[in-house]
Amino acid sequence: MTRVLLGLSAAIDAVIAALGEVLIRAIPVVVALGAAVVLMRYAFSFGLPWLSESFVWLNGIIFMLGAPYLLQKDAHVRVDVIYGQLPLRVRAGIDLAGVTLVLWPSCYALGMVIWPSVQRSLRILESSPTMDGLPFLYVLKLCVPLFFALLSLQGLSLAARSVVVLSGGQVPAVGKAHGHD
């Protein structure tokens, strides 16, 4: 069972890591777009709505699709200041409880709430309400349920590693700070 759980975790981690690496390379594009929008607006009193939207939308896409990568690397915001001081098995128990009691139910509930809006947007190929805005708002809206799905998958990877640790097994390190090493 340990091999199956670790194999599943490794496969999920590989997909999320590959996506994360792509998104990391998109960050300079967001910065350049933001700089161009500001320069055009304040230096030349000129603006292009589609350019402003591309900056905001790409930033949103990076945030939504990058969140699972941050969870994988244990780079997400953690309020609990004692977590890192706890023994590995206790952290695994906390992680498993967090995934099963908070992460998955939240992703499911919010995903179900947003899904009708996403379906409607896809059905009508919704575009920006801004004149001269981008013609594919439906792509941005599609990223919301994708965010929940990818975050849930990364939660599955974390849960699988946690079960292995709780059953006395060892797992390869994935996260940088408090991962199950």
Side-chain angles (χ1 to χ4, degrees), residues 98-116 144-153 155:
V99 167
T100 58
L101 300 175
V102 179
L103 181 75
W104 285 339
S106 298
C107 286
Y108 176 78
L110 294 170
M112 294 306 288
V113 167
I114 194 67
W115 186 242
V144 178
L146 193 54
F147 158 74
F148 292 126
L150 291 171
L151 197 57
S152 294
L153 270 177

Side-chain angles (χ1 to χ4, degrees), residues 5-78:
L5 290 174
L6 290 178
L8 174 66
S9 177
I12 293 169
D13 289 344
V15 170
I16 298 297
L19 178 60
E21 293 300 321
V22 169
L23 294 171
I24 285 170
R25 286 166 178 70
I27 292 172
V29 175
V30 170
V31 172
L33 287 170
V37 167
V38 169
L39 181 67
M40 287 172 54
R41 182 173 297 148
Y42 295 106
F44 302 111
S45 298
F46 178 73
L48 297 170
W50 63 266
L51 187 61
S52 296
E53 286 184 352
S54 64
F55 157 67
V56 173
W57 292 12
L58 185 55
N59 190 52
I61 289 169
I62 290 171
F63 175 83
M64 286 186 287
L65 301 185
Y69 181 71
L70 293 177
L71 177 60
Q72 179 187 94
K73 298 301 180 189
D74 202 26
H76 58 290
V77 175
R78 208 183 273 286

Side-chain angles (χ1 to χ4, degrees), residues 9 13 71 95 99 153-163 180:
S9 177
D13 289 344
L71 177 60
D95 289 343
V99 167
L153 270 177
Q154 188 57 49
L156 179 58
S157 173
L158 179 57
R161 289 192 314 270
S162 296
V163 168
H180 299 181

